Amino acid sequence: MAKIDDIAELLVEELSDFKVQLEKMKHLSDELKTTHLSPDMTEMSAVLDSFLKSQNVVLREQHTKISQLTEYLSKSNHYPRWLLALLSSVLLFTFCLVSYSIYEIKVSSDANLNNYAKGQKEAMHHFNKFFEEYPETKDKYLKWNTNRN
């Protein structure tokens, strides 16, 4: 029975320790309820500020890239200068060639008309000279010409 007494004594002692611990916990719980806690936001603010700064840097870089892309796209609709110069040169050369050809055709046709008139005068002069040398031929020609009409 001594063992049961020892165990009972131990159990009573443990229960009294448990009661003391419960009272301490109750006291600490009351103390926590009355204590006003204010969280320390300095570290969180520092983290958020550094994140905000990095986001601003990324945003500026994106804005710069977008403005460069917009500038490139606005210039992409233009034709290259060398192509414009080449096209202008070809058009100018074609215009000059056509103008010169028209001028040459006009001069050529005027020269042909002048040469035709000159040849006609020379032929008439040659026929008149021939008819002067051979008057009987002239009479036969005139007779033939009147019969023909």
Side-chain angles (χ1 to χ4, degrees):
M1 280 258 218
K3 279 190 171 189
I4 292 180
D5 287 337
D6 287 338
I7 290 177
E9 190 178 313
L10 231 132
L11 189 59
V12 168
E13 194 176 304
E14 285 297 323
L15 282 173
S16 68
D17 276 344
F18 184 69
K19 186 177 180 182
V20 170
Q21 292 296 329
L22 274 176
E23 285 178 6
K24 281 184 183 178
M25 283 182 71
K26 184 178 180 186
H27 176 67
L28 287 174
S29 174
D30 290 341
E31 203 174 293
L32 276 175
K33 286 180 183 176
T34 59
T35 305
H36 180 65
L37 292 177
S38 61
D40 187 15
M41 295 296 289
T42 56
E43 186 176 336
M44 183 65 84
S45 295
V47 168
L48 287 175
D49 285 341
S50 67
F51 179 72
L52 184 63
K53 287 178 185 176
S54 68
Q55 286 299 314
N56 284 335
V57 168
V58 168
L59 186 64
R60 270 188 252 122
E61 288 175 359
Q62 286 177 349
H63 180 70
T64 304
K65 288 179 182 178
I66 287 175
S67 64
Q68 287 174 348
L69 180 65
T70 304
E71 184 179 334
Y72 290 147
L73 287 176
S74 67
K75 287 183 179 179
S76 70
N77 294 333
H78 299 295
Y79 297 108
R81 290 183 182 167
W82 64 268
L83 183 63
L84 292 175
L86 179 67
L87 182 63
S88 301
S89 300
V90 167
L91 288 176
L92 182 64
F93 177 74
T94 304
F95 176 74
C96 290
L97 184 66
V98 168
S99 299
Y100 181 73
S101 298
I102 291 171
Y103 171 75
E104 281 297 316
I105 289 171
K106 185 176 184 282
V107 168
S108 166
S109 66
D110 288 346
N112 286 343
L113 287 175
N114 288 339
N115 289 336
Y116 176 76
K118 185 179 173 185
Q120 191 177 21
K121 282 181 186 178
E122 287 178 5
M124 291 305 290
H125 178 68
H126 179 70
F127 287 136
N128 287 335
K129 190 175 176 185
F130 178 77
F131 287 145
E132 285 175 7
E133 289 179 14
Y134 304 102
E136 66 272 356
T137 310
K138 182 179 180 183
D139 292 337
K140 288 181 185 178
Y141 172 72
L142 288 175
K143 188 178 177 184
W144 173 78
N145 195 19
T146 55
N147 286 337
R148 192 175 62 109
N149 290 334

